Amino acid sequence: MKEKIYRFMQGRYGNDGLNRFLLLVVFLCFVLSLVNGRAGIFYILGIACLIYAYFRMFSRNMYKRRAENAVYLKYEYKVKQFCGTLKKDRQQRKTHHIYRCPSCKQKIRIPRGKGRIEIRCPKCSTTFIKKS
């Protein structure tokens, strides 16, 4: 039986990051359809995502599936970078103030507890006064 599955999947795309995300969306839609009173829309959305995930998995057009996955991975990377930046900023707020330059919007990190200080932007050399 295992050999038949291997032969069937030869030349087909298989599973990737986008498919795993789609299957997660399917699971969430099915859970929401059980919890929510208006279960129809989440159930239909879950079935549609499941069909699309299986279509991608059994597709023989590997070039298109790789391109779709590349677009997904690009957006996933941007979201991870944004979340990492938020986490880093949240950790630094305990010991530093983070200001933005009024002219070029560059982030500038200033240690807390220094009183009123004059800050010079390293990018555009604009000076402004803030409380630390």
Side-chain angles (χ1 to χ4, degrees), residues 26-43:
V26 167
F27 177 74
L28 291 176
C29 285
F30 287 159
V31 168
L32 285 175
S33 72
L34 291 174
V35 173
N36 195 353
R38 296 181 181 170
I41 189 75
F42 290 117
Y43 186 75

Side-chain angles (χ1 to χ4, degrees), residues 2-3 8 12 27 35-36 38 45 54 60 63 67 70-71 75-77 79 97-98 100 109 118-119 126:
K2 210 175 196 181
E3 183 66 31
F8 175 74
R12 299 185 190 274
F27 177 74
V35 173
N36 195 353
R38 296 181 181 170
L45 183 63
Y54 275 111
R60 290 184 183 264
Y63 177 76
V71 169
Y75 286 116
E76 181 187 44
Y77 177 75
V79 169
H97 281 288
I98 298 174
R100 287 203 176 264
R109 190 177 74 140
E118 183 177 352
I119 303 166
T126 303

Side-chain angles (χ1 to χ4, degrees), residues 60-107:
R60 290 184 183 264
N61 191 349
M62 291 189 189
Y63 177 76
K64 269 196 164 180
R65 303 297 87 85
R66 282 190 193 123
E68 291 169 354
N69 191 46
V71 169
Y72 164 74
L73 290 176
K74 182 177 73 169
Y75 286 116
E76 181 187 44
Y77 177 75
K78 286 181 182 180
V79 169
K80 284 183 178 180
Q81 285 292 102
F82 179 74
C83 291
T85 301
L86 287 179
K87 181 179 176 184
K88 186 177 79 171
D89 285 351
R90 190 178 69 238
Q91 289 172 345
Q92 289 181 0
R93 288 196 193 280
K94 295 175 185 172
T95 59
H96 293 82
H97 281 288
I98 298 174
Y99 295 115
R100 287 203 176 264
C101 175
S103 61
C104 69
K105 307 300 183 209
Q106 171 73 32
K107 280 186 179 179

